[in-house]
Amino acid sequence: MALSSMLLVVTVAGAQPPAVDDAPMGPVRVETLELEPTVVKTGDLITQRYRLRFPDLVSDGQEIIILEDRVAPEALPVHPFEGVSLTVEKDLVDGEYIWDFVYGFRLIDPNKMTYLLPNFSFYYLVRDLGEDIEDTEVQQVDGGQGLVRYVTSITDEPLLNIRDTIELGSFAGRATFFRTLGWAVAPLPLLLWFAMLVRFARKPKPVSLEKQQEADELARLEAQIPVQPSIWQARRAVKRELKGLQNLPPGAEPQQAAGYQRGMVLALRDYLLADLSELVPGDTALDMQRHVSGMKDGPRKSALAVLADRLVAYQRGLELGGAAPIASPQAEADAFAGALARLRPHVRLLNNVKAVFGQ
């Protein structure tokens, strides 16, 4: 019985890992400092500091290179924790480099229990000065572990971004596509409703046969009403009639003079209606004469008076069945031409400027 107990003790002792002091030591040593805090809840940041010490071997023709890219926070195998930050503090004291790697970890397992922060390795190279890095063997040294107790899932952060252990891929592009499609399709019912409303509003309403006949008759009558000529067209018509007046011989026959005066009456009426916006097509020659006589004295009134007076004279002669006597066709044509010249736009503008300055 005693022999069996001695064999069991020897077997257990042989199964234990060798002591740290007896393990082979490289030039780089790692000190794992205290973990803070040791009791956490969801979202709390856990700080763990690893202190690396290694000598300055430049005087011996060598140098130690720490491979910092291999210990980036996102590349550490520390499940159920995740690395979220890293700060490296570098010092040189009495020929010895002291580098502190300060990591920020976060617990991503929801179960309430005590967790062990796994250890991981720091990698480095020891090379001779001038030697290629590719020819140097990579060495490693392990850091220590730490205990963390998870107590509750209550967190003070409104939005917690915790990396899950399952990678489901990125659906941002697909979400953007469907969001854009949704915004493009959403207004279509409103546009369709608006188009139907416009179509309904523009649809002609049925009318009775009597109203349709009245509308057709009114359109026919409006089409027969001659369009009032513009002032430029009326001016050209008066000038055309003046050519006929100039061709009249002195003492022309009443029938020949009446033919000229009939055309001049129509041309003068159109011109006065175009020049005087206050007149209406139903005004007679006397109405036009009275309107001109009531205007403010000036060059425009005197020129319009010449046209209105001759219109009344020609109209009265035609109504009496004859023609107004024309003693000198050339003199009367000159009077018409002078009146039209004083009514040209640039002459009227010059007269208005002179009236402003009192000339």
Side-chain angles (χ1 to χ4, degrees):
M1 187 67 178
L3 180 60
S4 300
S5 300
M6 293 178 61
L7 290 175
L8 181 59
V9 172
V10 172
T11 302
V12 174
Q16 293 179 350
V20 178
D21 296 338
D22 298 335
M25 296 290 293
V28 179
R29 292 173 299 161
V30 179
E31 299 178 14
T32 304
L33 304 183
E34 290 296 330
L35 182 146
E36 297 178 357
T38 58
V39 179
V40 298
K41 60 180 180 293
T42 302
D44 283 351
L45 189 65
I46 304 169
T47 303
Q48 177 66 70
R49 181 184 295 264
Y50 299 91
R51 178 165 295 169
L52 272 65
R53 296 177 180 270
F54 55 95
D56 184 5
L57 303 178
V58 175
S59 60
D60 298 334
Q62 293 181 326
E63 65 174 345
I64 298 176
I65 302 176
I66 305 297
L67 303 180
E68 300 182 45
D69 56 335
R70 296 198 179 187
V71 289
E74 61 275 6
L76 297 180
V78 290
H79 180 79
F81 296 83
E82 65 172 351
V84 295
S85 64
L86 171 62
T87 303
V88 182
E89 303 171 359
K90 302 179 181 180
D91 291 318
L92 177 61
V93 179
D94 296 334
E96 182 182 31
Y97 288 99
I98 302 176
W99 287 15
D100 285 0
F101 287 76
V102 184
Y103 284 94
F105 294 103
R106 184 177 290 163
L107 182 63
I108 59 176
D109 196 316
N111 297 320
K112 298 179 178 64
M113 57 181 295
T114 301
Y115 293 90
L116 181 66
L117 178 63
N119 63 346
F120 54 89
S121 300
F122 291 87
Y123 298 89
Y124 64 94
L125 304 174
V126 181
R127 68 156 186 168
D128 296 332
L129 296 179
E131 183 182 5
D132 293 337
I133 296 180
E134 292 78 4
D135 299 334
T136 307
E137 181 183 0
V138 178
Q139 304 182 42
Q140 68 183 55
V141 59
D142 294 337
Q145 300 173 335
L147 292 176
V148 176
R149 187 160 63 93
Y150 177 70
V151 294
T152 179
S153 59
I154 299 176
T155 174
D156 298 332
E157 298 185 20
L159 295 176
L160 186 60
N161 182 15
I162 296 180
R163 184 174 61 191
D164 199 349
T165 56
I166 301 177
E167 181 62 36
L168 300 177
S170 177
F171 297 90
R174 188 174 302 177
T176 302
F177 169 76
F178 283 109
R179 187 182 300 111
T180 305
L181 182 63
W183 280 108
V185 174
L188 291 183
L190 180 61
L191 294 179
L192 181 61
W193 178 83
F194 181 74
M196 294 179 63
L197 180 63
V198 172
R199 182 179 178 182
F200 178 77
R202 296 182 61 181
K203 185 178 180 179
K205 298 180 179 180
V207 295
S208 63
L209 181 61
E210 293 77 7
K211 290 185 178 181
Q212 184 64 37
Q213 291 177 350
E214 291 178 1
D216 295 341
E217 182 65 19
L218 181 60
R220 186 184 64 81
L221 295 176
E222 290 179 351
Q224 293 178 356
I225 298 176
V227 179
Q228 185 66 31
S230 65
I231 189 169
W232 303 104
Q233 295 173 339
R235 181 187 294 275
R236 285 194 293 268
V238 174
K239 288 184 177 181
R240 283 195 301 268
E241 297 298 331
L242 284 181
K243 292 181 180 179
L245 177 61
Q246 292 173 351
N247 294 331
L248 284 178
E253 297 179 0
Q255 185 178 2
Q256 185 178 8
Y260 153 73
Q261 292 180 7
R262 191 175 296 109
M264 180 59 80
V265 166
L266 297 176
L268 289 175
R269 281 184 57 84
D270 289 342
Y271 183 84
L272 291 175
L273 287 173
D275 194 295
L276 299 172
S277 59
E278 299 84 359
L279 300 178
V280 295
D283 289 339
T284 63
L286 289 175
D287 294 334
M288 295 181 181
Q289 187 183 38
R290 282 194 292 268
H291 179 78
V292 172
S293 62
M295 294 174 59
K296 182 180 179 180
D297 294 337
R300 181 167 181 256
K301 177 182 178 180
S302 61
L304 290 174
V306 173
L307 303 181
D309 293 344
R310 299 313 302 159
L311 172 61
V312 171
Y314 291 166
Q315 182 74 37
R316 183 178 294 111
L318 293 175
E319 291 175 353
L320 294 177
I326 302 177
S328 174
Q330 185 60 44
E332 188 147 348
D334 292 342
F336 274 120
L340 289 176
R342 293 195 300 273
L343 292 174
R344 293 180 66 86
H346 65 279
V347 176
R348 290 170 56 180
L349 177 61
L350 180 61
N351 291 332
N352 292 334
V353 172
K354 291 181 179 179
V356 171
F357 290 98
Q359 296 183 0

